[in-house]
Amino acid sequence: MALSGGIGGAKLALGLSRVLAPETLTVVANTADDFEHLGLSISPDIDTLMYTLAGLDNSETGWGRRGETWAFMSALAQLGGETWFKLGDADLAVHVERTRRLRAGESLSRITTDLCQRLGIAVRILPMSDDPVRTRIRTDDGWLDFQDYFVRYQSRPVVREIVFAGAAAARPQPGLLAMLADPDLRAVIICPSNPLISIDPILALPGVRKAVIGCRAPVVAVSPIIAGRAVKGPTAKMLDELGVVPSAETVARRYADMIDVFVADPDDAALVSEACLDVEVHATPTLMRTLADREHLARAVLDAADRAAIRQSPSLSLDVS
Ligand code: FO1
């Protein structure tokens, strides 16, 4: 099982889907980035995962579909509509169909399962909850909804506080808690997504953090920061503005109480090891430029998990007679 936000997490999810039998992989998707826009219910992290796993993703932007046309957006602009959040014509079909089915009373997880089947995706994408959870950012100019902060204001406002409105009342996806309690689960992989806005919302759901800590399966986290810089997005800037050093070590400390292994780039891994965090540190290149990089990192993560499982299991007395 993998916990993932959008762009960084989706790359590793793709790598995992190619080194595992894809139907054995469940990716739990952050939904706290979701929002209502132009009367549509939009789930960016689910869609980034869907498009990436279906090979339909736009690799330049990391979101939306490749080969998009923009007739809807240009017509909307003529009408004076809001165009700061770009919706391509084919992408729009997902938002319109998801909105129609949500309004008809279907759950987000049911809709997601069906959309994945129609897009030929064998991996299971599971929204973290079917109840609404919304990231809100307190900045020096007041509170902002997440997409206003992230897209409309391009993550420029200074972040003073992050809250996940609705998390305390939201029910974690039943499948999520069941997997964490499953004795046959191979590993829990925390993808290299932004810990503050993509992983924390999942862990903020009632009982999830405790279930990850109590999980028998090894928990492996991949650093989203390389040499003090986030690979993409505002992770480092947000950490810095919240008064913590934007480093792989900071991320390892945030996860230390619930992970067995922290996977980071060699230079960062050395620093994290010196921090003596009672977490095994595995050094491997974590920047995923190519498909081979995604598969390499996926294999490294799974090997680290399997080694941790062997270390944790009762000593295997090999019958050598
Ligand atoms: N991000 C942008 O920076 N600009 C956009 O216009 C934009 C449109 C968009 C449309 C659909 C979608 O699923 C994602 C989109 N994103 C856009 C990315 C989105 O804000 C982020 O992927 C997540 O919210 C953070 O991971």
Side-chain angles (χ1 to χ4, degrees):
M1 171 210 316
L3 306 184
S4 176
I7 300 158
K11 288 180 180 170
L12 180 56
L14 180 63
L16 288 166
S17 73
R18 294 174 60 90
V19 301
L20 291 167
E23 60 283 350
T24 66
L25 174 63
T26 295
V27 183
V28 177
N30 167 46
T31 58
D33 288 3
D34 293 9
F35 74 134
E36 302 298 311
H37 184 62
L38 305 176
L40 297 168
S41 297
I42 295 177
S43 298
D45 285 354
I46 291 177
D47 292 348
T48 295
L49 282 163
M50 242 175 21
Y51 293 146
T52 301
L53 290 167
L56 294 171
D57 61 300
N58 174 329
S59 50
E60 281 87 56
T61 56
W63 52 265
R65 291 173 80 140
R66 71 181 55 164
E68 265 295 10
T69 54
W70 301 92
F72 167 71
M73 288 307 287
S74 58
L76 184 66
Q78 273 174 339
L79 300 174
E82 287 190 75
T83 56
W84 56 270
F85 195 81
K86 305 276 179 284
L87 295 173
D89 297 331
D91 186 35
L92 185 59
V94 170
H95 309 306
V96 168
E97 184 57 3
R98 172 183 287 126
T99 303
R100 179 189 68 77
R101 295 178 68 167
L102 285 170
R103 300 255 165 88
E106 280 192 78
S107 68
L108 183 59
S109 45
R110 172 89 198 81
I111 297 165
T112 303
T113 300
D114 191 44
L115 293 182
C116 286
Q117 269 160 11
R118 290 176 187 274
L119 292 175
I121 298 167
V123 170
R124 185 169 65 140
I125 299 177
L126 197 61
M128 68 185 197
S129 171
D130 283 336
D131 298 321
V133 180
R134 297 289 179 266
T135 299
R136 287 179 53 76
I137 310 275
R138 181 165 61 81
T139 73
D140 290 341
D141 319 311
W143 285 93
L144 292 175
D145 287 340
F146 179 73
Q147 296 299 340
D148 283 306
Y149 162 76
F150 188 79
V151 178
R152 192 174 202 164
Y153 304 116
Q154 281 109 39
S155 314
R156 274 199 299 268
V158 173
V159 175
R160 297 296 180 204
E161 186 182 357
I162 301 171
V163 296
F164 308 125
R171 287 156 296 175
Q173 197 57 250
L176 165 54
L177 294 176
M179 278 186 288
L180 289 169
D182 179 353
D184 297 331
L185 181 68
R186 179 175 178 181
V188 178
I189 296 161
I190 299 180
C191 290
S193 298
N194 183 321
L196 298 168
I197 55 173
S198 298
I199 304 298
D200 278 359
I202 302 174
L203 299 172
L205 294 169
V208 173
R209 188 178 193 96
K210 196 157 61 71
V212 173
I213 292 172
C215 184
R216 272 172 48 114
V219 180
V220 181
V222 179
S223 177
I225 288 185
I226 299 176
R229 284 180 48 73
V231 175
K232 190 170 173 81
T235 304
K237 175 178 180 288
M238 296 174 95
L239 284 167
D240 186 47
E241 289 167 357
L242 290 168
V244 291
V245 173
S247 68
E249 181 190 332
T250 293
V251 178
R253 279 186 198 286
R254 289 175 65 87
Y255 290 147
D257 64 336
M258 64 181 161
I259 65 173
D260 300 287
V261 186
F262 189 71
V263 176
D265 245 44
D267 298 349
D268 298 303
L271 294 173
V272 176
S273 298
E274 283 156 26
C276 305
L277 291 174
D278 186 26
V279 167
E280 190 216 329
V281 184
H282 179 73
T284 193
T286 57
L287 186 60
M288 294 177 276
R289 288 191 194 86
T290 65
L291 191 52
D293 293 343
R294 289 157 172 72
E295 293 173 3
H296 163 85
L297 183 56
R299 278 195 197 90
V301 165
L302 290 168
D303 291 348
D306 293 345
R307 281 197 306 277
I310 290 171
R311 275 201 315 278
Q312 286 163 356
S313 61
S315 58
L316 297 172
S317 55
L318 296 180
D319 179 354
V320 291
S321 55

mmCIF file of all heavy atoms in Angstrom, residues 6-7 33 42-45 47-48 63-64 84-87 91 95 146-147 150-151 198, ligand 1:
data_model
loop_
_atom_site.group_PDB
_atom_site.id
_atom_site.type_symbol
_atom_site.label_atom_id
_atom_site.label_comp_id
_atom_site.label_asym_id
_atom_site.label_seq_id
_atom_site.Cartn_x
_atom_site.Cartn_y
_atom_site.Cartn_z
ATOM 1 N N GLY A 6 -0.011 14.176 -5.040
ATOM 2 C CA GLY A 6 -0.084 14.260 -6.498
ATOM 3 C C GLY A 6 1.214 13.867 -7.164
ATOM 4 O O GLY A 6 1.603 12.707 -7.173
ATOM 5 N N ILE A 7 1.925 14.828 -7.624
ATOM 6 C CA ILE A 7 2.971 14.646 -8.615
ATOM 7 C C ILE A 7 4.097 13.704 -8.193
ATOM 8 O O ILE A 7 4.304 12.667 -8.806
ATOM 9 C CB ILE A 7 3.511 16.037 -9.007
ATOM 10 C CG1 ILE A 7 2.329 16.862 -9.587
ATOM 11 C CG2 ILE A 7 4.647 15.934 -10.022
ATOM 12 C CD1 ILE A 7 2.511 18.339 -9.553
ATOM 13 N N ASP A 33 -6.836 18.303 -1.133
ATOM 14 C CA ASP A 33 -6.648 19.341 -2.167
ATOM 15 C C ASP A 33 -7.924 19.546 -2.963
ATOM 16 O O ASP A 33 -7.980 20.423 -3.826
ATOM 17 C CB ASP A 33 -5.584 18.880 -3.188
ATOM 18 C CG ASP A 33 -4.198 18.901 -2.611
ATOM 19 O OD1 ASP A 33 -4.082 19.209 -1.420
ATOM 20 O OD2 ASP A 33 -3.251 18.587 -3.354
ATOM 21 N N ILE A 42 -13.635 18.886 -7.935
ATOM 22 C CA ILE A 42 -12.343 18.560 -8.539
ATOM 23 C C ILE A 42 -11.453 17.867 -7.513
ATOM 24 O O ILE A 42 -11.341 18.330 -6.374
ATOM 25 C CB ILE A 42 -11.686 19.854 -9.071
ATOM 26 C CG1 ILE A 42 -12.571 20.401 -10.220
ATOM 27 C CG2 ILE A 42 -10.257 19.592 -9.566
ATOM 28 C CD1 ILE A 42 -12.119 21.704 -10.822
ATOM 29 N N SER A 43 -10.849 16.740 -7.908
ATOM 30 C CA SER A 43 -9.965 15.952 -7.039
ATOM 31 C C SER A 43 -8.594 15.833 -7.694
ATOM 32 O O SER A 43 -8.289 14.822 -8.347
ATOM 33 C CB SER A 43 -10.542 14.542 -6.816
ATOM 34 O OG SER A 43 -11.783 14.618 -6.160
ATOM 35 N N PRO A 44 -7.748 16.878 -7.539
ATOM 36 C CA PRO A 44 -6.484 16.917 -8.283
ATOM 37 C C PRO A 44 -5.547 15.742 -8.043
ATOM 38 O O PRO A 44 -4.991 15.195 -9.001
ATOM 39 C CB PRO A 44 -5.828 18.226 -7.792
ATOM 40 C CG PRO A 44 -6.948 19.037 -7.276
ATOM 41 C CD PRO A 44 -7.924 18.078 -6.711
ATOM 42 N N ASP A 45 -5.395 15.308 -6.773
ATOM 43 C CA ASP A 45 -4.418 14.235 -6.546
ATOM 44 C C ASP A 45 -4.914 12.912 -7.097
ATOM 45 O O ASP A 45 -4.131 12.139 -7.666
ATOM 46 C CB ASP A 45 -4.086 14.124 -5.047
ATOM 47 C CG ASP A 45 -3.165 15.262 -4.606
ATOM 48 O OD1 ASP A 45 -2.708 16.031 -5.467
ATOM 49 O OD2 ASP A 45 -2.918 15.382 -3.391
ATOM 50 N N ASP A 47 -6.780 12.637 -9.705
ATOM 51 C CA ASP A 47 -6.641 12.726 -11.167
ATOM 52 C C ASP A 47 -5.185 12.616 -11.606
ATOM 53 O O ASP A 47 -4.884 11.965 -12.615
ATOM 54 C CB ASP A 47 -7.256 14.028 -11.674
ATOM 55 C CG ASP A 47 -8.778 14.018 -11.512
ATOM 56 O OD1 ASP A 47 -9.335 12.931 -11.230
ATOM 57 O OD2 ASP A 47 -9.410 15.075 -11.647
ATOM 58 N N THR A 48 -4.256 13.204 -10.857
ATOM 59 C CA THR A 48 -2.832 13.066 -11.214
ATOM 60 C C THR A 48 -2.409 11.606 -11.135
ATOM 61 O O THR A 48 -1.728 11.090 -12.024
ATOM 62 C CB THR A 48 -1.975 13.936 -10.276
ATOM 63 O OG1 THR A 48 -2.293 15.309 -10.506
ATOM 64 C CG2 THR A 48 -0.480 13.712 -10.511
ATOM 65 N N TRP A 63 0.424 17.627 -13.947
ATOM 66 C CA TRP A 63 -1.028 17.501 -13.689
ATOM 67 C C TRP A 63 -1.750 17.594 -15.037
ATOM 68 O O TRP A 63 -1.158 17.987 -16.038
ATOM 69 C CB TRP A 63 -1.524 18.604 -12.759
ATOM 70 C CG TRP A 63 -1.143 19.989 -13.191
ATOM 71 C CD1 TRP A 63 -0.061 20.695 -12.777
ATOM 72 C CD2 TRP A 63 -1.802 20.811 -14.159
ATOM 73 N NE1 TRP A 63 0.000 21.906 -13.424
ATOM 74 C CE2 TRP A 63 -1.068 22.006 -14.266
ATOM 75 C CE3 TRP A 63 -2.967 20.671 -14.943
ATOM 76 C CZ2 TRP A 63 -1.441 23.044 -15.129
ATOM 77 C CZ3 TRP A 63 -3.331 21.700 -15.804
ATOM 78 C CH2 TRP A 63 -2.578 22.881 -15.877
ATOM 79 N N GLY A 64 -3.040 17.175 -15.037
ATOM 80 C CA GLY A 64 -3.814 17.243 -16.285
ATOM 81 C C GLY A 64 -3.337 16.194 -17.279
ATOM 82 O O GLY A 64 -2.483 15.367 -16.975
ATOM 83 N N TRP A 84 -8.080 30.951 -13.836
ATOM 84 C CA TRP A 84 -6.777 30.739 -13.162
ATOM 85 C C TRP A 84 -6.500 29.272 -12.927
ATOM 86 O O TRP A 84 -5.344 28.864 -12.810
ATOM 87 C CB TRP A 84 -6.696 31.508 -11.846
ATOM 88 C CG TRP A 84 -7.781 31.211 -10.853
ATOM 89 C CD1 TRP A 84 -8.983 31.848 -10.739
ATOM 90 C CD2 TRP A 84 -7.789 30.188 -9.838
ATOM 91 N NE1 TRP A 84 -9.732 31.288 -9.736
ATOM 92 C CE2 TRP A 84 -9.019 30.279 -9.162
ATOM 93 C CE3 TRP A 84 -6.860 29.203 -9.432
ATOM 94 C CZ2 TRP A 84 -9.374 29.422 -8.100
ATOM 95 C CZ3 TRP A 84 -7.190 28.356 -8.383
ATOM 96 C CH2 TRP A 84 -8.439 28.474 -7.734
ATOM 97 N N PHE A 85 -7.543 28.445 -12.885
ATOM 98 C CA PHE A 85 -7.332 26.999 -12.707
ATOM 99 C C PHE A 85 -7.641 26.352 -14.051
ATOM 100 O O PHE A 85 -8.781 26.303 -14.491
ATOM 101 C CB PHE A 85 -8.263 26.472 -11.622
ATOM 102 C CG PHE A 85 -7.902 25.099 -11.113
ATOM 103 C CD1 PHE A 85 -6.889 24.921 -10.163
ATOM 104 C CD2 PHE A 85 -8.552 23.964 -11.589
ATOM 105 C CE1 PHE A 85 -6.556 23.663 -9.692
ATOM 106 C CE2 PHE A 85 -8.221 22.699 -11.124
ATOM 107 C CZ PHE A 85 -7.224 22.548 -10.173
ATOM 108 N N LYS A 86 -6.584 25.868 -14.715
ATOM 109 C CA LYS A 86 -6.707 25.478 -16.123
ATOM 110 C C LYS A 86 -7.356 24.093 -16.268
ATOM 111 O O LYS A 86 -6.845 23.111 -15.711
ATOM 112 C CB LYS A 86 -5.317 25.443 -16.786
ATOM 113 C CG LYS A 86 -4.550 26.752 -16.649
ATOM 114 C CD LYS A 86 -4.957 27.750 -17.730
ATOM 115 C CE LYS A 86 -4.213 29.082 -17.578
ATOM 116 N NZ LYS A 86 -4.796 29.888 -16.453
ATOM 117 N N LEU A 87 -8.456 24.026 -16.960
ATOM 118 C CA LEU A 87 -9.131 22.737 -17.175
ATOM 119 C C LEU A 87 -9.136 22.436 -18.668
ATOM 120 O O LEU A 87 -9.819 23.110 -19.456
ATOM 121 C CB LEU A 87 -10.569 22.831 -16.655
ATOM 122 C CG LEU A 87 -10.678 23.048 -15.129
ATOM 123 C CD1 LEU A 87 -12.125 23.303 -14.731
ATOM 124 C CD2 LEU A 87 -10.114 21.862 -14.375
ATOM 125 N N ASP A 91 -9.713 16.693 -19.782
ATOM 126 C CA ASP A 91 -9.703 16.676 -18.307
ATOM 127 C C ASP A 91 -11.086 17.068 -17.794
ATOM 128 O O ASP A 91 -11.609 16.490 -16.836
ATOM 129 C CB ASP A 91 -8.635 17.658 -17.812
ATOM 130 C CG ASP A 91 -8.455 17.600 -16.296
ATOM 131 O OD1 ASP A 91 -8.578 16.498 -15.723
ATOM 132 O OD2 ASP A 91 -8.246 18.662 -15.697
ATOM 133 N N HIS A 95 -14.060 15.829 -14.599
ATOM 134 C CA HIS A 95 -14.685 16.650 -13.546
ATOM 135 C C HIS A 95 -16.214 16.681 -13.711
ATOM 136 O O HIS A 95 -16.954 16.597 -12.730
ATOM 137 C CB HIS A 95 -14.121 18.074 -13.583
ATOM 138 C CG HIS A 95 -12.632 18.119 -13.574
ATOM 139 N ND1 HIS A 95 -11.878 17.487 -12.614
ATOM 140 C CD2 HIS A 95 -11.753 18.659 -14.451
ATOM 141 C CE1 HIS A 95 -10.590 17.667 -12.883
ATOM 142 N NE2 HIS A 95 -10.488 18.372 -13.977
ATOM 143 N N PHE A 146 -6.890 25.753 -0.304
ATOM 144 C CA PHE A 146 -5.620 25.268 -0.810
ATOM 145 C C PHE A 146 -5.326 25.667 -2.255
ATOM 146 O O PHE A 146 -4.250 26.173 -2.576
ATOM 147 C CB PHE A 146 -5.524 23.739 -0.671
ATOM 148 C CG PHE A 146 -4.224 23.219 -1.210
ATOM 149 C CD1 PHE A 146 -3.042 23.433 -0.518
ATOM 150 C CD2 PHE A 146 -4.172 22.607 -2.448
ATOM 151 C CE1 PHE A 146 -1.825 23.010 -1.035
ATOM 152 C CE2 PHE A 146 -2.963 22.171 -2.978
ATOM 153 C CZ PHE A 146 -1.781 22.383 -2.267
ATOM 154 N N GLN A 147 -6.276 25.436 -3.160
ATOM 155 C CA GLN A 147 -5.972 25.704 -4.568
ATOM 156 C C GLN A 147 -5.787 27.201 -4.828
ATOM 157 O O GLN A 147 -5.037 27.601 -5.720
ATOM 158 C CB GLN A 147 -7.071 25.137 -5.491
ATOM 159 C CG GLN A 147 -7.200 23.625 -5.461
ATOM 160 C CD GLN A 147 -5.938 22.883 -5.903
ATOM 161 O OE1 GLN A 147 -5.085 23.455 -6.584
ATOM 162 N NE2 GLN A 147 -5.801 21.640 -5.493
ATOM 163 N N PHE A 150 -2.189 27.525 -3.736
ATOM 164 C CA PHE A 150 -1.205 26.784 -4.530
ATOM 165 C C PHE A 150 -1.180 27.249 -5.994
ATOM 166 O O PHE A 150 -0.132 27.370 -6.601
ATOM 167 C CB PHE A 150 -1.576 25.293 -4.466
ATOM 168 C CG PHE A 150 -0.551 24.374 -5.075
ATOM 169 C CD1 PHE A 150 0.594 24.029 -4.380
ATOM 170 C CD2 PHE A 150 -0.741 23.854 -6.348
ATOM 171 C CE1 PHE A 150 1.531 23.168 -4.943
ATOM 172 C CE2 PHE A 150 0.197 22.998 -6.914
ATOM 173 C CZ PHE A 150 1.335 22.663 -6.204
ATOM 174 N N VAL A 151 -2.347 27.504 -6.587
ATOM 175 C CA VAL A 151 -2.423 27.797 -8.016
ATOM 176 C C VAL A 151 -2.660 29.286 -8.257
ATOM 177 O O VAL A 151 -1.882 29.944 -8.919
ATOM 178 C CB VAL A 151 -3.549 26.970 -8.672
ATOM 179 C CG1 VAL A 151 -3.650 27.322 -10.155
ATOM 180 C CG2 VAL A 151 -3.280 25.486 -8.486
ATOM 181 N N SER A 198 0.174 16.742 1.622
ATOM 182 C CA SER A 198 -0.297 15.542 0.914
ATOM 183 C C SER A 198 -0.337 14.315 1.801
ATOM 184 O O SER A 198 -1.244 13.503 1.676
ATOM 185 C CB SER A 198 0.608 15.246 -0.297
ATOM 186 O OG SER A 198 0.555 16.330 -1.204
HETATM 187 N N1 FO1 B 1 -1.830 23.377 -11.000
HETATM 188 C C1 FO1 B 1 -1.419 24.599 -11.441
HETATM 189 O O1 FO1 B 1 -0.375 25.086 -10.987
HETATM 190 N N2 FO1 B 1 -2.146 25.323 -12.360
HETATM 191 C C2 FO1 B 1 -3.304 24.861 -12.866
HETATM 192 O O2 FO1 B 1 -3.945 25.544 -13.676
HETATM 193 C C3 FO1 B 1 -3.747 23.550 -12.464
HETATM 194 C C4 FO1 B 1 -4.909 22.972 -12.985
HETATM 195 C C5 FO1 B 1 -5.254 21.657 -12.599
HETATM 196 C C6 FO1 B 1 -6.353 21.023 -13.159
HETATM 197 C C7 FO1 B 1 -6.705 19.737 -12.774
HETATM 198 C C8 FO1 B 1 -5.930 19.060 -11.826
HETATM 199 O O3 FO1 B 1 -6.257 17.803 -11.458
HETATM 200 C C9 FO1 B 1 -4.804 19.669 -11.251
HETATM 201 C C10 FO1 B 1 -4.464 20.980 -11.635
HETATM 202 N N3 FO1 B 1 -3.347 21.607 -11.080
HETATM 203 C C11 FO1 B 1 -2.965 22.855 -11.504
HETATM 204 C C12 FO1 B 1 -2.482 20.951 -10.079
HETATM 205 C C13 FO1 B 1 -3.078 20.928 -8.697
HETATM 206 O O4 FO1 B 1 -3.318 22.175 -8.166
HETATM 207 C C14 FO1 B 1 -2.074 20.125 -7.842
HETATM 208 O O5 FO1 B 1 -1.823 18.962 -8.537
HETATM 209 C C15 FO1 B 1 -2.543 19.602 -6.512
HETATM 210 O O6 FO1 B 1 -3.563 20.228 -5.962
HETATM 211 C C16 FO1 B 1 -1.324 19.585 -5.603
HETATM 212 O O7 FO1 B 1 -0.739 18.344 -5.680
#
